[in-house]
Amino acid sequence: MNVNKTIEILLQESHRFPPNRSFQERAYVKDNSLFELANDFETFWNEQSKFLDWIEPFHTICDRSNPPFYSWFVGGKLNASFNCLDRHIFSGHGNKAAIIWEGEPGDRRTLTYRELWRSVNKFANALKKLGVSKGDRVAIYLPLIPEAVISMLACARIGAIHSVVFGGFSPESLRDRINDAQAKVLITADGGWRRGEVLPLKHDADVAISQCPSIKHVVIVKRGDFLLRVKEGRDHWYHRLMQEAPAHCDPEAMFSNDPLFTLYTSGSTGKPKGILHHTGGYLVWVNRTTQWVFDIRPEDVFWCTADVGWITGHSYLVYGPLSLGATIVMYEGAPDYPEKDRFWEIIERHGVTIFYTAPTAIRAFMKWGNEHPEKHDLSTLRLLGTVGEPINPAAWLWYHQTIGRGKCPIVDTWWQTETGGILISPLPGLTTTVPGSATKPLPGIDAAVLDEQGNEVPINQGGYLAIRKPWPGMLAGIWGDEERYKQVYWSKWENVYFPGDGARIDEDGNFWLLGRVDDVMNVAGHRISTMEVESALVSHPDVSEAAVVGIEHDIKGEAIAAFVTLKGGKLGDVEMVSKLKEHVANTIGAIAKPEKILFSVDLPKTRSGKIMRRLLRDIALGRVLGDTTTLADPSVVEFLKKKYEEQES
Ligand code: WT7
């Protein structure tokens, strides 16, 4: 039977997939013993901490005396780069491949653990020479090249706090993140490749740091032969620094609750939050979840397709797999470059065994057609994963049949920048999976679905996802903003973490994630706040007012629709639409580009002047309009609805 037919039948049957026997026999987790152990909070986390090498033991597992500030493995000392590098060399794995890398144009590099260790040592010394010391912030704005990992681990080695900014973000976004963290050094590249074009990273970085007084030095990795300006005294070529740097750098003994990194993510205001992660708890959590969920064994080749600019890259490209001594694959570019089979070609070439990507990518692959994966031998794959947004059952089944050949378990992993690592996910040797559900909380995670008052909602009823006990990977705070940390995550209920997602639990105890419940959109698996896009729009000289809503999109999951009022009451034309789209891309980054822009002389507002996004969403989705009786001027929505329908037809 052909694959598409099988998928159709499976969809109708709302199929369940019990773990397959052969996978289960060899799996790291194959029974409930971890869950049972987790009933004893202290013993459980103490056991889990032992998978890392500690320089000094901790005296307290989790200090819960000052909620919502929790401290993990208090008094303990360790170094993250030591745990990701040195210890694997000491145990005889120095010549094992740590990173198998491909650049978009087709260049390839493999770095063994020893080679990676050597570069990290040298670069750590180079950073020291530039005046970076423990506790300083270092911004990283690089393409997905090995130097991104080297930079992160070099910071970790000397106790500097890295702040990676995704290379697709605009100069303004970079500037704001650097200024918020007061970073001292910026590491960037002359360029990076994306779909055959060069991302002018250093050029953009120069624009950004012209407004960043805290930056004292810039390090430039030479990725290509891209022209750029070098500012004497401030700018340094990476390869020159490396030539001069001493070979050994002792890892700094860091307290478990010393910061490891900050990573910015959108909240429901215009200003991104610097999510802060500490060293010990974070590393324990990513180490354990990588082993539990991805079932990594020494011979595995693990490919997480995320960029290091996102938390997925931090946790499951760098810290999780490397702390386990695994081999990772890293690819710089686009999945459709030069052809739409690039990913499958990479899997075949390197014998990838575990593949972790986003539903958005899977839906694009589906649309591109089965002929692309069918051209390649994907038989090395044994486990598949997804992350970033809910996966629709049709995409899940396609992934299972076409990429997994019906044999690979799929782990749909729910988590966030704030949670550090995966919280809700199947365990591939244990859990019966259901397409579309992230299934159950991991050992030690007390997740529930609550109502506004904090009561558990009945089976199959929607409510708010909640995490009721602290866990080691949890964020330690928001950089420089204690109040916001308390207010955003801990103010809905007492001492219960609120992730901002809606969810329901079915009769089998499986969790179904229902999307964000705040003013945050999830576009292609990336968080963008409506406010950020709105302020980008109104920063254009011709715009007087803008309102942004998320709309359904068959590939991206969610896309952005903007309703815009221009100055002087004009209605914009096609040219204005593309101007504004470009303006948003230049202000925030290409990921924030609106899919649709509609002009209007006014926006639907309540009598007190509040924009009614609910109605705009109804319009954008072509739904029947909800209650319009509270509007100051009901004719505004009628006008918009008509305009919208005209534009769509
Ligand atoms: C938000 C977190 C975690 C790394 C990538 C995104 C949504 C994430 C799933 C999933 C349904 C998911 C949630 C969450 N999300 N994974 N498997 N099923 N929704 O990290 O940018 O911090 O975004 O992504 O809404 O809150 P992030």
Side-chain angles (χ1 to χ4, degrees), residues 132-241:
V132 179
S133 53
K134 189 169 162 176
D136 286 342
R137 275 79 58 208
V138 172
I140 300 175
Y141 188 58
L142 284 173
L144 197 52
I145 54 179
E147 285 74 12
V149 182
I150 294 167
S151 301
M152 291 163 78
L153 293 177
C155 288
R157 197 157 189 92
I158 61 175
I161 304 166
H162 58 71
S163 170
V164 184
V165 179
F166 173 56
F169 275 123
S170 68
E172 268 182 52
S173 300
L174 175 63
R175 176 199 66 196
D176 293 347
R177 285 157 174 77
I178 289 175
N179 286 340
D180 188 72
Q182 289 291 293
K184 217 173 177 176
V185 167
L186 170 67
I187 306 166
T188 186
D190 53 350
W193 291 101
R194 187 76 190 174
R195 223 162 255 128
E197 293 191 19
V198 180
L199 293 174
L201 290 166
K202 171 62 163 63
H203 171 268
D204 286 358
D206 280 339
V207 175
I209 57 180
S210 67
Q211 294 173 41
C212 298
S214 65
I215 292 288
K216 301 291 177 259
H217 294 282
V218 176
V219 179
I220 318 157
V221 178
K222 197 167 169 60
R223 169 73 187 97
D225 258 324
F226 312 128
L227 280 180
L228 50 82
R229 268 196 322 215
V230 173
K231 193 170 163 190
E232 281 306 315
R234 187 199 68 182
D235 295 355
H236 313 265
W237 285 105
Y238 172 87
H239 57 274
R240 296 261 166 76
L241 294 174

Side-chain angles (χ1 to χ4, degrees), residues 10-11 14-17 359 362-363 386 389-400 410-414 424-426 432-440 502-506 510-515:
L10 289 173
L11 258 178
S14 66
H15 219 78
R16 277 163 165 62
F17 296 83
I362 297 168
R363 286 189 292 262
T386 79
E389 52 190 306
I391 180 163
N392 48 311
W396 195 106
L397 288 164
W398 180 87
Y399 198 30
H400 190 258
I410 294 181
V411 289
D412 171 359
T413 62
W414 180 89
I424 304 177
S425 167
T432 293
T433 52
V434 196
S437 166
T439 73
K440 301 202 165 79
R504 73 177 165 87
I505 304 178
D506 71 13
N510 288 319
F511 284 66
W512 296 79
L513 281 310
L514 305 173

Side-chain angles (χ1 to χ4, degrees), residues 15-27 29-32 295 382-383 396 400 406-411 426-434 439-440:
H15 219 78
R16 277 163 165 62
F17 296 83
N20 72 49
R21 188 68 55 84
S22 62
F23 193 100
Q24 192 165 32
E25 273 165 10
R26 299 185 60 196
V29 180
K30 51 179 132 216
D31 58 33
N32 280 314
D295 190 55
R382 66 179 193 93
L383 176 62
W396 195 106
H400 190 258
K407 291 183 190 132
C408 302
I410 294 181
V411 289
L427 292 168
L430 182 70
T431 314
T432 293
T433 52
V434 196
T439 73
K440 301 202 165 79

Side-chain angles (χ1 to χ4, degrees), residues 265 311-312 386-390 412-418 438 499 501 513 515-516 522 525-527:
T265 185
I311 190 69
T312 311
T386 79
V387 61
E389 52 190 306
D412 171 359
T413 62
W414 180 89
W415 59 294
Q416 315 176 290
T417 306
E418 291 87 341
D501 276 35
L513 281 310
R516 304 287 311 183
N522 186 330
H526 300 304
R527 257 198 265 180

